[in-house]
Amino acid sequence: MRFKPDLRKMIETFGEKGLEARVLASKLLRKIAALLGAVLLACLPSCAPAEEPAGPAAAGGFVIAEMKSSGFNSAAAESREGVSADFSSLTEGYVAISAVSESRLKLQVLLGEGKYTYDLKNDGTPEIFPLNMGDGEYSFRVMENISGTKYAELWSETRAVSLASEFEPFLRPSQYVNYDVDSECVARARELAAACADDIEVVAAVYGMLVESIEYDHEKAASVQSGYLPDPDTTLATRKGICFDYAALAAAMLRSLGVPCRLITGYVHPNEIYHAWNEVYIESQGWITVKIEVSAESWKRVDITFAAGGVSEEQLDDDSLYTTRYVY
């Protein structure tokens, strides 16, 4: 019988740091069990259960959509106060901003009661920000540091946004999910998708690869600073990362294949651990794993970090443990 850690009890008993250690230990136990199982099957091939259902065949047939990109159109940009804003792609779900200043900068994106605040580079490098709150009258504000933690408005604009589809912001690169057509994670995603028949198989393939190949980076978790931005290719190359890295890499790979994917940050109960996970939109009905089912044409939450640590799928599928704060 496979050991299945209880997420509620783990968080209650060990807290965040203790949980990370137990998660790593659980993953090691899983790998040892898998190795022993492989040895046993090799020694006794005739004893393999004849009635065990096989997984989906690698039939192929999934049509990889043309990758949606995002970028800064300098010819369309409007400039003043050291800020250049490209509003030419609002229907495609993003705004591109470039700014120059001797002070630290932040960008605020507002719609109704919703507000997202991002660090903004002050060296003129363009950055992409998602219009992730749907249609409406958006306000954009560049804030300049004046002293300590105090900021004052340097620039602001308002634009009406009508998205081509609700999925647009979650199919493109942005500041938190940063990739392009030449990224290694895009190439790896296409390799996985080549053997898939539909989008549910694509999600299952990416999910399985990340769960098995990426290790949780405890040293990084203990030292990461505010303002950290994940690099999906670095996570893929080093094969380790924190929850933010797992979620950004998953989002980059799936978006590049035309599968809408959100990066979510929020809290895991009962101890209010701040965490990152994903939501994916699936057109097909099926299974990501043998116990995680997805309904057709719906968003499904997936937590690859905890899955990689061996937390039981029953716990991972319990929506009551998760509270969303931000969606990217």
Side-chain angles (χ1 to χ4, degrees), residues 90 110-112 133-139 158-163:
L90 299 182
L110 305 96
L111 177 65
M133 294 178 278
D135 295 347
E137 193 83 4
Y138 278 73
S139 295
T158 301
R159 288 291 189 280
V161 172
S162 180
L163 299 172

Side-chain angles (χ1 to χ4, degrees), residues 35-236:
L35 178 61
L36 291 175
V39 171
L40 179 60
L41 288 175
C43 294
L44 301 170
S46 62
C47 295
E51 297 181 0
E52 182 71 13
F62 174 73
V63 178
I64 300 176
E66 182 178 353
M67 195 184 91
K68 292 180 178 285
S69 61
S70 55
F72 181 82
N73 183 351
S74 58
E78 304 173 15
S79 302
R80 61 179 175 84
E81 306 297 337
V83 177
S84 294
D86 172 16
F87 297 112
S88 64
S89 300
L90 299 182
T91 60
E92 296 174 353
Y94 70 91
V95 63
I97 304 286
S98 169
V100 176
S101 174
E102 294 182 358
S103 302
R104 295 193 304 275
L105 300 174
K106 292 186 180 293
L107 173 70
Q108 292 183 341
V109 180
L110 305 96
L111 177 65
E113 298 294 320
K115 181 172 75 172
Y116 284 74
T117 301
Y118 303 90
D119 288 332
L120 179 64
K121 292 179 179 178
N122 63 358
D123 61 358
T125 302
E127 295 185 275
I128 307 299
F129 302 94
L131 303 175
N132 50 356
M133 294 178 278
D135 295 347
E137 193 83 4
Y138 278 73
S139 295
F140 306 94
R141 304 171 65 198
V142 173
M143 311 297 291
E144 187 175 45
N145 182 257
I146 54 176
S147 67
T149 59
K150 295 182 179 180
Y151 285 76
E153 182 179 298
L154 172 67
W155 169 97
S156 67
E157 286 286 346
T158 301
R159 288 291 189 280
V161 172
S162 180
L163 299 172
S165 83
E166 65 173 295
F167 305 116
E168 291 294 334
F170 312 112
L171 284 169
R172 301 176 184 277
S174 60
Q175 188 195 60
Y176 281 11
V177 184
N178 192 8
Y179 62 97
D180 60 34
V181 69
D182 296 319
S183 296
E184 289 297 325
C185 64
V186 172
R188 183 69 179 111
R190 290 177 177 268
E191 290 174 2
L192 293 171
C196 297
D198 54 26
D199 58 350
I200 190 69
E201 288 190 13
V202 167
V203 173
V206 171
Y207 180 96
M209 187 276 287
L210 297 180
V211 165
E212 292 303 321
S213 66
I214 308 298
E215 297 282 350
Y216 192 84
D217 191 336
H218 298 274
E219 182 178 350
K220 185 175 186 178
S223 61
V224 67
Q225 299 295 309
S226 175
Y228 168 75
L229 294 175
D231 181 341
D233 275 356
T234 296
T235 304
L236 185 65

Side-chain angles (χ1 to χ4, degrees), residues 176-179 230-232 243-253 263 278:
Y176 281 11
V177 184
N178 192 8
Y179 62 97
D231 181 341
C243 61
F244 200 3
D245 297 313
Y246 278 91
L249 176 55
M253 294 179 73
L263 188 159
N278 297 101

